[in-house]
Amino acid sequence: MEPQAHTVVIITLPPSDDPSHGKTISAFTLTDDPHPNPTFQPDTPLHQTPDPGLWLPDLSTGSPRLVLSFLAVSLLAVAFYTSVFPNTVQMFRAYDERDREEDSNRRETTSFVFPVYHKLGARAIPDRNLAEVVVKSGILVESIDQELVNAAKVNDAAFSAMAASFDSSTTILPVGGDVYPNGFYFTRILVGSHYFYLDIDTGSDLTWVQCDAPCRSCAKGANQLYTPRKGMLVRSAESLCVEVQKNQLTEHCEDCEQCDYEIEYADLSSSLGVLTKDEFHISLHNGSVADLDIVFGCGYDQQGLLLNTLVKTDGILGLSRAKISLPSQLASRGIISNVVGHCLPSDLNGEGYIIMGSDLVPSHGMTWVPMLHHSHLEVYQMQVSKVSYGNGMLSLDGRVGKVLFDTGSSYTYFPNKAYSHLVKSLQEVSGIGLTLDESDKTLPVCWQADFPISSLSDVRRLFRPITLQIGSKWWIISRKLVLQPEDYLIINNKGNVCLGILDGSSVHDGSTIILGDVSMRGHLIVYDNVKRRIGWMKSDCVRPRGSEFSVPFVQG
């Protein structure tokens, strides 16, 4: 019997950051001849171009019909990929390729890990645009502490030497917290000579602390008010002042002695203050301490519900992509690569951490997707094509939606249509052990169980997973973020089960899914601003992968 020949075509798309490479088309001829020529090896990665010697001889000695068949199959394959998968395959393959190419480069700087603690009360998603600064005559923040000398200045050469002296060591500090009843997470940072507890917020640009400048309106806070140091106020002509004020309605004052700011949040809370500098003392795993002058906000007038959340904290730690954020300032000086990660504990007494830098980002096991660019907000968001509860689809307001990661929100928010469909789908749990309890006002949807509940594991079997499909609508090539029941439910102090997903009609732009703390617990979430991607994986959040030890939990 004459051997049968078959053709295998491999199409390699160019990386998104360098389209000049163009497409490459590779083909192999396979035969069932017991003594064939060298053929395609299944272990060969699809993104690599095989050695031409493996297949060119087959084409040169094959029949014209075989060559024409190969060309026809190639053209059909190109047309199919172009029409069905115009961007997705190229997008994901480019990110996977860059993962491998840049692994060695990412190890050149160090990382920081900060403790995260829980805080009291939930806060709405803030509008990240800075509001108009209300200019009040005669208001000039004065340096109260006349005894303290200016913080030591470190020039660029010293920073370069410092960065070169750091190894890939990271401080491992404890994290505790929960979504309910406390409602949010914070970390502890040494600023000057005092510790401050800062609410971690991946959606906020500016780090600020309550400040005695003097203070007009401040909550009691977890620690004493920060006192600005003499001569350390940021002048309006400095670049970071221009960055902060660029979205404010008032014109930038180039000749002012200080840089004023006002941040207004979606719940109409606000913080008014000035930019200042002081040393942030950041410990490293190898025992070193980085003492760095950091620009941050001295907030002397807080208003609204924000005052309630400042009972156990002293301010906000801004972790966004903006130049003024703490990780961006560290990255701009070469201390870290601009990578931010957090792992929020699932259990009430669990541990977690925040990382700044790429050293402790796992090289395997992460799901990575491209980070979407926002026209005027430096937030972390990705594209979502489908959302489903179990096997049922939840409607998105547009054909393609967005997901915004925000640790400043305790709960997750869905657009109105998706939320309404979800609540309707959840009616199925009534009658199988759960009854809707309309008298429970903890959250809009709560159920009373017909049996004792000690943890979410007692009821997770009654609920279905929520799947966010990222990228293409074709399941075979898309990435997925799966929210298990424990990722969107809470148990309140009445012993009821409540839905931790809320109607987001009036939050942000109303059409974006806001992924809050409730849905990020028990996951390592990483925002890689260098490669412009977002990644996640399940984790117990006890310690970063690669760490050899953990520190006992310290109650904040």
Side-chain angles (χ1 to χ4, degrees):
M1 179 177 177
E2 184 178 351
Q4 298 296 314
H6 309 276
T7 299
V8 176
V9 178
I10 300 176
I11 301 175
T12 303
L13 300 177
S16 59
D17 59 344
D18 192 1
S20 64
H21 286 301
K23 296 186 180 71
T24 60
I25 302 176
S26 305
F28 298 95
T29 298
L30 304 182
T31 177
D32 53 8
D33 190 333
H35 303 287
N37 289 329
T39 57
F40 167 71
Q41 299 297 319
D43 293 334
T44 302
L46 296 183
H47 60 273
Q48 296 177 353
T49 301
D51 185 353
L54 293 178
W55 59 277
L56 283 179
D58 291 323
L59 287 182
S60 63
T61 60
S63 65
R65 179 176 298 177
L66 178 60
V67 175
L68 292 175
S69 299
F70 157 69
L71 292 176
V73 171
S74 300
L75 291 175
L76 288 174
V78 172
F80 175 77
Y81 269 79
T82 302
S83 61
V84 179
F85 313 128
N87 298 312
T88 306
V89 174
Q90 176 181 349
M91 176 177 62
F92 287 136
R93 183 170 293 165
Y95 277 85
D96 289 340
E97 180 69 14
R98 282 194 292 173
D99 289 349
R100 288 182 287 272
E101 292 177 351
E102 299 179 8
D103 272 347
S104 59
N105 295 334
R106 299 180 65 202
R107 305 298 173 174
E108 296 178 356
T109 53
T110 189
S111 302
F112 302 120
V113 180
F114 296 94
V116 177
Y117 306 88
H118 56 266
K119 62 188 181 181
L120 179 63
R123 178 163 55 84
I125 302 296
D127 182 353
R128 313 305 179 193
N129 288 329
L130 299 180
E132 179 179 2
V133 172
V134 180
V135 180
K136 299 178 174 65
S137 59
I139 298 298
L140 180 67
V141 175
E142 300 178 355
S143 297
I144 306 300
D145 193 346
Q146 304 294 333
E147 302 292 330
L148 296 176
V149 296
N150 291 350
K153 297 292 188 296
V154 183
N155 58 33
D156 291 341
F159 270 121
S160 299
M162 181 188 301
S165 67
F166 292 156
D167 59 22
S168 296
S169 180
T170 302
T171 298
I172 310 301
L173 295 173
V175 174
D178 59 83
V179 172
Y180 182 89
N182 295 290
F184 60 101
Y185 298 85
F186 67 89
T187 188
R188 186 179 72 167
I189 295 183
L190 179 60
V191 181
S193 58
H194 300 286
Y195 281 102
F196 295 96
Y197 294 150
L198 303 180
D199 171 6
I200 62 172
D201 191 353
T202 55
S204 284
D205 301 340
L206 180 66
T207 295
W208 60 265
V209 297
Q210 292 197 115
C211 181
D212 185 12
C215 186
R216 284 180 169 181
S217 176
C218 294
K220 181 179 179 181
N223 298 283
Q224 66 183 51
L225 297 178
Y226 172 77
T227 300
R229 305 183 70 169
K230 182 180 180 180
M232 297 301 286
L233 293 182
V234 174
R235 298 179 63 87
S236 61
E238 296 187 37
S239 60
L240 286 180
C241 178
V242 177
E243 178 72 18
V244 169
Q245 292 187 343
K246 68 180 181 181
N247 291 325
Q248 298 183 142
L249 299 180
T250 55
E251 293 185 3
H252 174 69
C253 176
E254 296 183 357
D255 300 326
C256 294
E257 294 295 321
Q258 66 186 37
C259 180
D260 299 290
Y261 77 87
E262 182 175 9
I263 301 177
E264 183 174 302
Y265 298 97
D267 63 359
L268 302 183
S269 296
S270 63
S271 174
L272 175 68
V274 296
L275 295 189
T276 188
K277 299 177 184 177
D278 207 336
E279 281 190 338
F280 278 45
H281 307 282
I282 304 173
S283 300
L284 305 179
H285 183 221
N286 63 1
S288 301
V289 177
D291 299 326
L292 309 170
D293 276 353
I294 297 296
V295 174
F296 63 102
C298 166
Y300 56 79
D301 190 348
Q302 281 64 246
Q303 299 292 334
L305 296 176
L306 183 61
L307 290 170
N308 298 331
T309 68
L310 289 170
V311 173
K312 290 189 176 182
T313 60
D314 304 299
I316 300 292
L317 176 62
L319 297 176
S320 77
R321 298 171 48 238
K323 294 179 181 179
I324 191 66
S325 73
L326 178 57
S328 293
Q329 290 191 57
L330 295 175
S332 68
R333 302 179 187 186
I335 304 301
I336 64 169
S337 57
N338 200 343
V339 177
V340 182
H342 56 75
C343 204
L344 307 181
S346 299
D347 300 329
L348 179 62
N349 297 317
E351 298 178 354
Y353 54 86
I354 304 170
I355 60 175
M356 294 186 190
S358 59
D359 299 325
L360 294 177
V361 176
S363 57
H364 303 287
M366 297 285 292
T367 297
W368 292 103
V369 299
M371 184 186 298
L372 286 184
H373 173 72
H374 195 286
S375 59
H376 61 281
L377 301 180
E378 301 292 346
V379 294
Y380 302 115
Q381 57 182 3
M382 65 182 181
Q383 175 182 298
V384 59
S385 57
K386 290 182 180 180
V387 181
S388 61
Y389 174 74
N391 294 324
M393 304 306 296
L394 305 179
S395 297
L396 295 174
D397 291 337
R399 188 180 70 172
V400 177
K402 294 175 294 184
V403 178
L404 189 153
F405 293 76
D406 191 357
T407 58
S409 171
S410 297
Y411 300 104
T412 291
Y413 294 83
F414 276 8
N416 180 260
K417 287 184 179 179
Y419 174 76
S420 298
H421 289 174
L422 175 61
V423 172
K424 185 176 180 179
S425 299
L426 288 170
Q427 292 177 357
E428 66 182 18
V429 303
S430 298
I432 56 173
L434 297 178
T435 303
L436 192 65
D437 187 352
E438 296 182 354
S439 66
D440 191 339
K441 303 302 181 184
T442 303
L443 288 171
V445 180
C446 294
W447 297 271
Q448 184 178 14
D450 299 338
F451 50 90
I453 299 176
S454 59
S455 68
L456 289 174
S457 60
D458 297 329
V459 296
R460 73 184 309 275
R461 59 184 174 82
L462 304 178
F463 295 85
R464 305 176 189 271
I466 296 174
T467 302
L468 280 63
Q469 188 171 325
I470 314 303
S472 172
K473 291 187 176 182
W474 292 75
W475 284 85
I476 191 172
I477 61 171
S478 63
R479 307 288 169 92
K480 304 175 187 67
L481 175 58
V482 180
L483 304 181
Q484 298 295 342
E486 58 269 25
D487 298 326
Y488 61 84
L489 299 173
I490 66 164
I491 297 178
N492 66 11
N493 54 13
K494 296 178 62 175
N496 286 350
V497 181
C498 297
L499 177 64
I501 298 177
L502 309 180
D503 184 355
S505 300
S506 58
V507 177
H508 195 59
D509 58 10
S511 62
T512 298
I513 294 174
I514 308 295
L515 208 66
D517 294 339
V518 67
S519 299
M520 293 190 283
R521 299 174 298 177
H523 291 81
L524 171 61
I525 311 289
V526 177
Y527 314 102
D528 189 337
N529 294 304
V530 178
K531 297 182 178 179
R532 298 186 64 82
R533 61 181 185 170
I534 299 174
W536 61 83
M537 67 181 299
K538 277 284 189 180
S539 175
D540 58 12
C541 295
V542 173
R543 64 178 69 85
R545 183 179 294 183
S547 169
E548 299 298 330
F549 70 99
S550 61
V551 179
F553 174 76
V554 178
Q555 180 66 40

